[in-house]
Amino acid sequence: MTNSVIQGLPRWTLAVPPLAFLVLVGTWHRDLGALLLILVCLGLGAAVIAAVHHAEVVAHRVGEPFGTLILALAVTVIEVALIVTLMASGGEKAASLARDTVFAAVMITCNGILGLALVVGSLRHRVQEFRVQASYSALSVTTALVTLSLVLPTFTTSAEGPRFSSAQLAFAGVTSLVLYGVFVFIQTIRHRDYFLPVAADGAVDEDEDHHAAAPSGRTALLSLGLLFVCLISVVGLAKTVSPRLESAVESAGAPLAVVGVVIALLVLLPETVAAVRAALRNRLQTSVNLALGSALASIGLTIPAIAVASIWLSGPLVLGLGGKEMVLFALTVVTGLFTLSTGRATLLQGAVHLAVFSAFLFLAVSP
């Protein structure tokens, strides 16, 4: 035991949460100059990384697939809080922020994170295996949620554009929550073995973290508390920096949808790191769980939260996707079906997903 570790946690993971919170308190409702802006951005990035570290500690304590579920939920809480916070102060400009952020999260997870994990893992291990039952289940629920929540509003009879009526939004929110709840039940209880990593002999690998001892209950509880502090800091710091972000996007002449993409990229960066690390350890099933589970949590929890928040949020709420986004989503579903149908991943499959993700990023900036 070195003096850089306290109760099983590195010192930086103990220091970052309170420091990030102090940065939030010191910059709240202040005009950000160059130095303060840099400080806020550093605090925001450090808080996100620390949040994921503490989520992983808790995840290691409870085991798989609960671990990836906790990580996905932690990231989604950040995303939902950011969306609601920015919509509350954004007015008309934030009408499509929820749609843009959720769709960006789906594209990042199903193409960016999954594709990167496939590429990195196949470069080291040539061919990796995962479970078709789990992957297909997650993809089918994701497809249904995106279609019901983001595609259907474009085709409703609303005279105000691609929006849901209050009753339709309530139905979409309840349906999203129920479907996500059923998926979590299947993942953690009914068919938990589907979501466990594949061992070298093709059997279920119950002990994914057999090389490291699980943290104590005290350490896990400490990480849980620090995770909560990190989440508060991330939400507050993102709210602080959001006006500068929107101004920068407008000054660059880019569409406001880029704001949603940036938010999604920010909150999903830790998921990306975790998925790549799992792929490098030849735990591709964990990478798939992280990618598709994050997509499910993003839309399955964001839409209900937005539906509830719309009660007191002023201004319109645009959820319907445009034609370009629908084409990209259809391509993502078809590509995902081909990728996940064999249970074996290669470099080519990862390259295809990254190509679709690159197209999404390019068209977001240059529509």
Side-chain angles (χ1 to χ4, degrees):
M1 178 76 68
T2 66
N3 60 5
S4 63
V5 178
I6 299 177
Q7 294 185 355
L9 298 173
R11 286 184 181 274
W12 71 267
T13 65
L14 299 174
V16 165
L19 288 177
F21 188 77
L22 288 177
V23 172
L24 170 61
V25 173
T27 59
W28 187 253
H29 285 315
R30 292 184 60 179
D31 292 331
L32 300 182
L35 292 178
L36 284 181
L37 179 62
I38 293 174
L39 182 62
V40 168
C41 291
L42 289 175
L44 181 59
V48 169
I49 295 173
V52 174
H53 178 87
H54 290 298
E56 287 182 331
V57 171
V58 178
H60 192 183
R61 174 68 182 179
V62 300
E64 287 294 337
F66 299 97
T68 54
L69 177 63
I70 290 173
L71 190 55
L73 287 175
V75 171
T76 303
V77 168
I78 297 174
E79 180 186 356
V80 171
L82 285 176
I83 292 173
V84 174
T85 302
L86 294 177
M87 288 184 66
S89 59
E92 291 281 343
K93 294 190 299 181
S96 60
L97 180 63
R99 177 200 65 189
D100 296 336
T101 305
V102 170
F103 182 68
V106 172
M107 298 301 293
I108 292 168
T109 52
C110 294
N111 289 310
I113 296 178
L114 182 60
L116 186 59
L118 292 175
V119 167
V120 171
S122 61
L123 286 175
R124 171 169 288 189
H125 304 285
R126 294 184 65 85
V127 177
Q128 292 184 292
E129 296 185 356
F130 56 90
R131 301 193 177 280
V132 175
Q133 304 98 317
S135 307
Y136 257 35
S137 299
L139 183 62
S140 66
V141 179
T142 301
T143 303
L145 289 179
V146 174
T147 302
L148 291 174
S149 301
L150 302 182
V151 175
L152 274 182
T154 304
F155 300 97
T156 56
T157 57
S158 173
E160 299 179 350
R163 307 174 191 171
F164 273 145
S165 66
S166 298
Q168 292 168 339
L169 181 60
F171 174 80
V174 171
T175 303
S176 298
L177 197 59
V178 169
L179 277 178
Y180 182 68
V182 172
F183 176 80
V184 170
F185 172 74
I186 295 298
Q187 182 185 25
T188 58
I189 299 176
R190 191 63 176 266
H191 296 291
R192 176 174 174 263
D193 57 306
Y194 288 176
F195 298 86
L196 294 175
V198 182
D201 59 357
V204 172
D205 188 355
E206 289 272 0
D207 189 15
E208 180 183 4
D209 294 305
H210 57 280
H211 292 298
S216 66
R218 182 179 180 182
T219 300
L221 286 175
L222 177 60
S223 283
L224 186 62
L226 292 174
L227 173 61
F228 182 70
V229 175
C230 287
L231 295 180
I232 295 176
S233 301
V234 167
V235 173
L237 291 173
K239 173 66 170 63
T240 301
V241 80
S242 61
R244 294 295 295 268
L245 173 62
E246 293 175 358
S247 299
V249 169
E250 292 177 353
S251 300
L256 285 178
V258 174
V259 176
V261 176
V262 172
I263 292 173
L265 284 170
L266 175 66
V267 299
L268 290 172
L269 177 61
E271 291 277 44
T272 305
V273 174
V276 169
R277 288 171 57 188
L280 289 173
R281 297 195 305 267
N282 202 18
R283 296 287 197 244
L284 187 61
Q285 184 60 57
T286 299
S287 301
V288 174
N289 290 348
L290 280 167
L292 299 182
S294 296
L296 277 170
S298 177
I299 190 168
L301 299 178
T302 301
I303 298 302
I306 294 301
V308 173
S310 65
I311 297 174
W312 69 82
L313 288 177
S314 59
L317 177 61
V318 176
L319 288 178
L321 295 173
K324 174 188 64 181
E325 288 78 16
M326 290 185 199
V327 171
L328 287 172
F329 174 63
L331 181 59
T332 298
V333 172
V334 173
T335 303
L337 287 172
F338 285 122
T339 297
L340 302 176
S341 63
T342 63
R344 295 169 63 85
T346 64
L347 177 63
L348 178 60
Q349 294 163 312
V352 172
H353 280 279
L354 288 182
V356 177
F357 179 61
S358 300
F360 162 71
L361 290 179
F362 176 77
L363 293 175
V365 178
S366 179

